[in-house]
Amino acid sequence: MARETWKPGNMLYPLPAVMVSCARPDERPNIITVAWAGTICSSPAMVSISIKPERYSYGIIRETGEFVINLTTKKLARAADYCGVRSGRDVDKFRETHLTAAPASKISAPLIKESPVNIECRVRDMIELGSHHMFLSDVLSVDVDSRYLDDKGRLRLNDADLMVYSHGSYYSLGENLGSFGFSVRKDAKKTRKNPNRTVKC
């Protein structure tokens, strides 16, 4: 099969399309939708977001050093898109999207109540890279909508109909292809036939 070689570009897809909420003291809060977001460390828990310096939220986050990453769902697709194409300089995004700004537990920036998971972040460092500047941030708290907890308190996040961004379009997550480690997991039926068998992970 023939293949083509293209110039360098951002082709790492799909990505989480997250709504990032932020606020200056005594000003209305704002939301920016970003796809350049990711996990960078598990212990300590750290994430990153990359924003163009000309964006309204960039100045807010750089000044306050705080923001909340709000996961998005199929129901939040229109709001997420709106917050990515309209500027907080011109409109009140919470009002226009009918989203609710709720108090966070560790920082001053608000979280979005309608999001299934809110990740409260404090900036540790900011790196000027080029078109985007990256905010390397510590996760201070994770707020979870109790609707997605089972009777044992475990998070059933995939029940939230999460949304991703891929090559200019939004998609809801689809078929479950397997859980982590399924490719090396021993056959469950064989294990039940031999209860003394040890399964190594």
Side-chain angles (χ1 to χ4, degrees):
M1 182 181 294
R3 300 189 62 82
E4 296 183 10
T5 300
W6 293 358
K7 66 180 182 180
N10 299 109
M11 292 297 292
L12 181 60
Y13 293 114
L15 297 165
V18 298
M19 292 190 288
V20 175
S21 48
C22 55
R24 290 189 183 95
D26 303 319
E27 290 185 8
R28 71 187 183 202
N30 193 49
I31 306 168
I32 179 174
T33 299
V34 300
W36 302 162
T39 298
I40 56 176
C41 189
S42 57
S43 182
M46 293 183 66
V47 294
S48 70
I49 59 171
S50 294
I51 304 176
K52 291 182 177 181
E54 58 266 29
R55 298 297 295 269
Y56 179 63
S57 293
Y58 172 89
I60 298 174
I61 294 172
R62 184 158 187 173
E63 290 174 27
T64 63
E66 297 180 341
F67 61 89
V68 180
I69 293 177
N70 305 273
L71 300 191
T72 56
T73 64
K74 183 178 180 179
K75 289 183 178 180
L76 293 172
R78 181 172 292 275
D81 183 67
Y82 183 91
C83 291
V85 298
R86 291 288 183 264
S87 174
R89 294 186 182 94
D90 306 319
V91 297
D92 182 337
K93 293 186 184 180
F94 274 98
R95 184 181 66 189
E96 295 298 321
T97 57
H98 307 290
L99 295 174
T100 307
S105 60
K106 299 291 186 181
I107 62 176
S108 298
L111 54 82
I112 299 174
K113 186 177 181 180
E114 290 77 8
S115 173
V117 174
N118 320 95
I119 305 169
E120 300 181 32
C121 304
R122 179 164 293 143
V123 177
R124 177 186 290 202
D125 195 10
M126 193 274 292
I127 304 174
E128 298 184 9
L129 297 172
S131 63
H132 292 64
H133 293 179
M134 177 183 287
F135 293 94
L136 303 176
S137 307
D138 293 299
V139 175
L140 302 186
S141 180
V142 177
D143 304 270
V144 178
D145 189 330
S146 60
R147 288 180 296 175
Y148 302 107
L149 300 178
D150 65 15
D151 55 2
K152 295 183 179 179
R154 293 174 298 197
L155 178 61
R156 299 298 185 185
L157 185 56
N158 293 326
D159 293 341
D161 212 358
L162 296 172
M163 183 181 76
V164 296
Y165 177 81
S166 181
H167 200 52
S169 297
Y170 307 99
Y171 296 89
S172 58
L173 295 181
E175 179 185 359
N176 183 347
L177 302 178
S179 59
F180 178 77
F182 83 98
S183 64
V184 296
R185 196 171 295 129
K186 301 298 182 181
D187 185 85
K189 293 181 180 179
K190 291 180 180 179
T191 302
R192 283 197 297 270
K193 291 179 180 179
N194 185 359
N196 297 320
R197 183 178 178 182
T198 301
V199 178
K200 296 181 181 180
C201 297

